[in-house]
Amino acid sequence: MALALTLAVGLPACSQQTAPVSGYTVVKTYPHDTRAFTEGLFYRDGFIFESTGLTGRSFIRKWNLETGVSEQERIVDSRYFGEGIVDWKNRLYELTWTDQVGLIYDIDTFEKVGEFTYPGEGWALTRDNKRLMMSDGTSFIRFLDPETLKETGRIEVTDHGVPVRNLNELEWVKGELLANVWQTTRIVRIDVTTGKVIGWIELGGLLKEAGVTGKQDDVLNGIAYDAAGDRLFVTGKLWPKLFEIKLAPQR
């Protein structure tokens, strides 16, 4: 999502029962562009695909994981605040924040080939092998047909009955939906058949390792997964590093 204008915490209150929490270990650290106001992130064919926000400064980029060097880039139309991205076959879909317009690109050339519309805000996208999943800053996840881009259903994400709001960047990992919770240091693990929270991943320790405070716009945001290599990557807005992490057992 966008700017850190208010402290809008989406976690259940501490006095309430919550799903188990996992820690992590850092496997490897990679360079990340500190100009990238990260909104969307995914891994494909050995590269990181990333979208960034801020009106007039948004771009989509394909970059080399090992070097951080951009292999391909496109500036998003200056009218739009770019948001999440996802790949589907030979297409790349991108949301915009408040314009209710999605952009469609050829994934090989980044040439724009179309648009689509949706009601409300657009925050993030991911997919499994049959549908797209979209967040809009609320506690709801929408399901979209990947060919028509029309909504086919939605779920509300809850932890022991409490809605989890501010769902942001998304990634599909081993049959679970992972989502950054905006302005927090946690990722929530979601069962998309029920909307119930399976667990939480606490990543607060990464702020110090990245050399950021997480108190302004430099919040945790960005999850990518290399299914073939079973590698999980996370980063944040304006962070100098992207981390490969391994999850610790839940507690």
Side-chain angles (χ1 to χ4, degrees), residues 13 20 114 138 180 189 237:
T138 68
N180 285 119
R189 300 169 58 189
K237 300 175 187 289

PDB file of all heavy atoms in Angstrom, residues 13 20 114 138 180 189 237:
ATOM      1  N   ALA A  13      -5.887  -7.744  19.159  1.00  0.00           N
ATOM      2  CA  ALA A  13      -5.400  -7.207  20.422  1.00  0.00           C
ATOM      3  C   ALA A  13      -4.634  -8.278  21.191  1.00  0.00           C
ATOM      4  O   ALA A  13      -4.951  -9.461  21.140  1.00  0.00           O
ATOM      5  CB  ALA A  13      -6.570  -6.712  21.255  1.00  0.00           C
ATOM      6  N   PRO A  20      -0.530 -19.395  16.292  1.00  0.00           N
ATOM      7  CA  PRO A  20       0.888 -19.509  16.656  1.00  0.00           C
ATOM      8  C   PRO A  20       1.779 -18.563  15.847  1.00  0.00           C
ATOM      9  O   PRO A  20       1.453 -18.193  14.721  1.00  0.00           O
ATOM     10  CB  PRO A  20       1.214 -20.971  16.340  1.00  0.00           C
ATOM     11  CG  PRO A  20      -0.091 -21.667  16.335  1.00  0.00           C
ATOM     12  CD  PRO A  20      -1.093 -20.674  15.850  1.00  0.00           C
ATOM     13  N   GLY A 114      -3.163  -3.625 -22.337  1.00  0.00           N
ATOM     14  CA  GLY A 114      -4.566  -3.486 -21.970  1.00  0.00           C
ATOM     15  C   GLY A 114      -4.752  -2.954 -20.568  1.00  0.00           C
ATOM     16  O   GLY A 114      -3.785  -2.642 -19.858  1.00  0.00           O
ATOM     17  N   THR A 138      -8.278  -3.975   3.299  1.00  0.00           N
ATOM     18  CA  THR A 138      -9.243  -4.373   4.309  1.00  0.00           C
ATOM     19  C   THR A 138      -8.850  -5.736   4.864  1.00  0.00           C
ATOM     20  O   THR A 138      -7.720  -6.199   4.686  1.00  0.00           O
ATOM     21  CB  THR A 138     -10.663  -4.442   3.708  1.00  0.00           C
ATOM     22  OG1 THR A 138     -10.717  -5.543   2.779  1.00  0.00           O
ATOM     23  CG2 THR A 138     -11.013  -3.157   2.972  1.00  0.00           C
ATOM     24  N   ASN A 180       1.707  -9.600   3.995  1.00  0.00           N
ATOM     25  CA  ASN A 180       2.199  -8.561   4.894  1.00  0.00           C
ATOM     26  C   ASN A 180       1.011  -7.850   5.518  1.00  0.00           C
ATOM     27  O   ASN A 180      -0.014  -7.628   4.853  1.00  0.00           O
ATOM     28  CB  ASN A 180       3.028  -7.515   4.144  1.00  0.00           C
ATOM     29  CG  ASN A 180       4.410  -7.998   3.772  1.00  0.00           C
ATOM     30  OD1 ASN A 180       4.746  -8.056   2.591  1.00  0.00           O
ATOM     31  ND2 ASN A 180       5.229  -8.322   4.757  1.00  0.00           N
ATOM     32  N   ARG A 189      -0.278 -15.956   7.847  1.00  0.00           N
ATOM     33  CA  ARG A 189      -0.454 -17.153   7.032  1.00  0.00           C
ATOM     34  C   ARG A 189      -1.937 -17.518   7.035  1.00  0.00           C
ATOM     35  O   ARG A 189      -2.540 -17.694   8.099  1.00  0.00           O
ATOM     36  CB  ARG A 189       0.374 -18.302   7.603  1.00  0.00           C
ATOM     37  CG  ARG A 189       1.868 -17.992   7.647  1.00  0.00           C
ATOM     38  CD  ARG A 189       2.633 -19.021   8.464  1.00  0.00           C
ATOM     39  NE  ARG A 189       2.448 -20.376   7.950  1.00  0.00           N
ATOM     40  CZ  ARG A 189       2.868 -21.468   8.587  1.00  0.00           C
ATOM     41  NH1 ARG A 189       3.478 -21.368   9.767  1.00  0.00           N
ATOM     42  NH2 ARG A 189       2.681 -22.659   8.048  1.00  0.00           N
ATOM     43  N   LYS A 237       9.797  -1.455   1.903  1.00  0.00           N
ATOM     44  CA  LYS A 237       9.831  -0.228   1.107  1.00  0.00           C
ATOM     45  C   LYS A 237      11.112   0.548   1.418  1.00  0.00           C
ATOM     46  O   LYS A 237      11.426   0.809   2.582  1.00  0.00           O
ATOM     47  CB  LYS A 237       8.619   0.649   1.434  1.00  0.00           C
ATOM     48  CG  LYS A 237       7.261   0.013   1.172  1.00  0.00           C
ATOM     49  CD  LYS A 237       6.156   0.957   1.660  1.00  0.00           C
ATOM     50  CE  LYS A 237       4.781   0.325   1.584  1.00  0.00           C
ATOM     51  NZ  LYS A 237       4.301   0.176   0.214  1.00  0.00           N
TER      52      LYS A 237
END
